[in-house]
Each structure stands twice: as C-alpha cells, then as structure tokens.
Amino acid sequence: MEVSHYTQYFGIASYASKIALNRLDASHVLVSYTSDVEPWDGVDTLMVDSGGYSLVNTDRTEYQTSDEEYLNYIQEHDAEYAMLRDYPLGSDPDATIPELQRRTTEHQRRLLDRWNISTTPVAVVQGRSPRQYLNHVSQLRDAGVLERTNRVAIGSLVGRASTEKHRIITTVADSLGDNTRIHGLGVQVSDLSAYPQLLSLLATGDSNAWDYTTGGTWREKAYAYLDRRQRLADLSVGESQRRLPT
C-alpha cells in the first residue's frame, strides 16, 4: 500500500494471509524465498526477500540453494524488487558482526555479478549499533555494491523497539545519497505511528507482524490487513497536514 511517497509491503507468511491479500487485491506484497507460501499470479508489485532471516531460526549458517536457483525463482515470479543475499545478526552464532558484514558484502557482490534479470536488486546493510551500520555502508560502497543499485534495505531491525529503529534508520539515511531508496526490513505500522517522520526517510518497508499477531483464518487476516491499511492512510493525512505551512 502506498501513502505519500512511502509504500508498505505486506508479507505473506501463511496460506491464510495469502488468501486474504489476494481477495483484497493487495498491490504491494513481499514473499520470502525460503517460505513454503508462494505468491499468486498477478501481484501488482512483488518484492522477494532472500530469506536470510530464516538462518537465525535454524542451525544452518549458509543458504541451502544456489544463487542461480534464487535468481530463477525471482524471474519465475516476475518480481519488481529482490533482496541480495545477506547474513543477519544471529545467522551464525560463532561469527562476529564484522564477519557477518564481510560475508554479506562478498555474497552481494558475487550475486550482482550474476544478476542477469530485469528485477531491481536491493542491497542489504547489517549491524547492531548505528556506528556498525555506518561501517557496513562504507564497506558496501568500497566494494562497489552501492554503485550497482539505488535501493538499500536496512536489516536486523526485527525485534527492536521503535526508538532504536528510528535511530538506526535516521543514521543510515544520512549516510546515503538523496537518490538512494531505503527499505526498512521489519518496519511495522506501529513504528511509523511512533515516528511519522520515517515516512519521509523510507521509500518502502515491510513486516509480517500483521500476519503473526492475528488469528488463523483468512477473514481474520483480512481484517488485520484492512486495519493496517487504514492506519497507514491516517498517518499519511497527518504527515501531509504537518508539512503544510502555517
């Protein structure tokens, strides 16, 4: 759903949520490559997540499929955007944050070398503290990753308080050029409500929380989606009024 220049992508993490979004003609949908749930044909604008966060919830520390298989999946589903593969915090309990950042940078550079599809790639920056995110932005820039896409996602935001998300997003946004479109991985409507200025800093965001925190039927998912959509619309009106000159 698009409000002002910000667009919220709704993740489908269950078959019930897929049915709900399909029946309600949701225009902006995110699906994880590692999910059993696949998008339906005809999604207006589809974004694919590489599924890096799934490594946090398993004993695996590496992707189980090749980059070629990942690219084929993206192309098969005609995605508009797709995340480059990354290694979120917690994806390898034995690795330090700088090591996870280095692995992320190297994998994203390798994947870009194989990127022979029309889908727009989205680089992913990782860290724990704002300073660590800045270090990774510099690393990605030095590696040439940021020269090859104008879209950057901020990872490892899931589970953080809105205050912390706001601080990290603000820091990363200040370090990137005006032409860079920033995506917030795990940014909920509640985060935007707490800090409406995020609507100006982010181009896009996504969350599966609307799915995980509601009942299991598709009708319950539908009501949850409509609730978030209305709250986003209200936020957009409030932000527009705040910007009006007095």
Side-chain angles (χ1 to χ4, degrees), residues 142-158:
D142 292 342
V145 172
L146 300 187
E147 296 176 358
R148 301 165 75 175
T149 180
N150 72 334
R151 292 196 172 256
V152 176
I154 304 176
S156 296
L157 294 178
V158 174

Side-chain angles (χ1 to χ4, degrees), residues 53 56 86-91 97 100 124-129 133 153-160 164-165 168 184-186:
Y53 191 72
V56 177
D86 65 315
Y87 299 88
L89 270 61
S91 58
I97 293 176
L100 293 173
V124 184
V125 59
Q126 293 290 348
R128 185 181 304 281
S129 68
Y133 278 97
I154 304 176
S156 296
L157 294 178
V158 174
R160 296 180 189 258
E164 193 174 8
K165 291 181 183 180
I168 291 168
L185 286 162

Side-chain angles (χ1 to χ4, degrees), residues 63 131 175 186 228:
Y63 291 95
R131 170 55 59 184
S175 71
R228 267 73 169 180

Side-chain angles (χ1 to χ4, degrees), residues 40-241:
W40 63 92
D41 293 335
V43 175
D44 185 24
T45 308
L46 178 67
M47 181 180 290
V48 175
D49 184 272
S50 69
Y53 191 72
S54 66
L55 297 174
V56 177
N57 300 316
T58 68
D59 57 1
R60 300 191 305 270
T61 59
E62 189 52 81
Y63 291 95
Q64 299 299 293
T65 59
S66 67
D67 288 347
E68 184 176 1
E69 289 175 285
Y70 180 49
L71 290 171
N72 288 340
Y73 175 93
I74 296 168
Q75 188 172 37
E76 175 188 351
H77 292 291
D78 194 26
E80 187 77 17
Y81 307 104
M83 306 294 165
L84 296 173
R85 285 180 149 177
D86 65 315
Y87 299 88
L89 270 61
S91 58
D92 185 346
D94 296 323
T96 64
I97 293 176
E99 172 64 15
L100 293 173
Q101 291 174 325
R102 182 188 63 79
R103 289 168 62 185
T104 293
T105 300
E106 292 178 353
H107 201 150
Q108 293 190 37
R109 184 170 54 185
R110 291 198 309 271
L111 186 52
L112 280 171
D113 289 340
R114 302 173 63 94
W115 203 270
N116 58 356
I117 57 178
S118 59
T119 300
T120 300
V122 183
V124 184
V125 59
Q126 293 290 348
R128 185 181 304 281
S129 68
R131 170 55 59 184
Q132 288 171 335
Y133 278 97
L134 287 180
N135 291 342
H136 197 208
V137 168
S138 296
Q139 186 181 110
L140 290 168
R141 184 177 288 118
D142 292 342
V145 172
L146 300 187
E147 296 176 358
R148 301 165 75 175
T149 180
N150 72 334
R151 292 196 172 256
V152 176
I154 304 176
S156 296
L157 294 178
V158 174
R160 296 180 189 258
S162 296
T163 301
E164 193 174 8
K165 291 181 183 180
H166 174 256
R167 185 166 61 250
I168 291 168
I169 292 169
T170 301
T171 300
V172 172
D174 287 343
S175 71
L176 296 171
D178 292 338
N179 294 327
T180 303
R181 308 283 284 172
I182 303 174
H183 180 85
L185 286 162
V187 170
Q188 302 180 41
V189 176
S190 58
D191 299 318
L192 301 172
S193 298
Y195 293 95
Q197 55 267 47
L198 290 177
L199 293 169
S200 300
L201 297 176
L202 295 171
T204 53
D206 77 85
S207 175
N208 284 327
W210 77 277
D211 188 358
Y212 292 138
T213 57
T214 58
T217 70
W218 76 264
R219 292 183 185 276
E220 289 172 304
K221 306 295 185 186
Y223 285 124
Y225 166 72
L226 292 173
D227 172 70
R228 267 73 169 180
R229 193 172 71 176
Q230 184 59 53
R231 287 162 59 189
L232 280 168
D234 293 343
L235 274 174
S236 179
V237 172
E239 183 67 3
S240 297
Q241 292 176 342

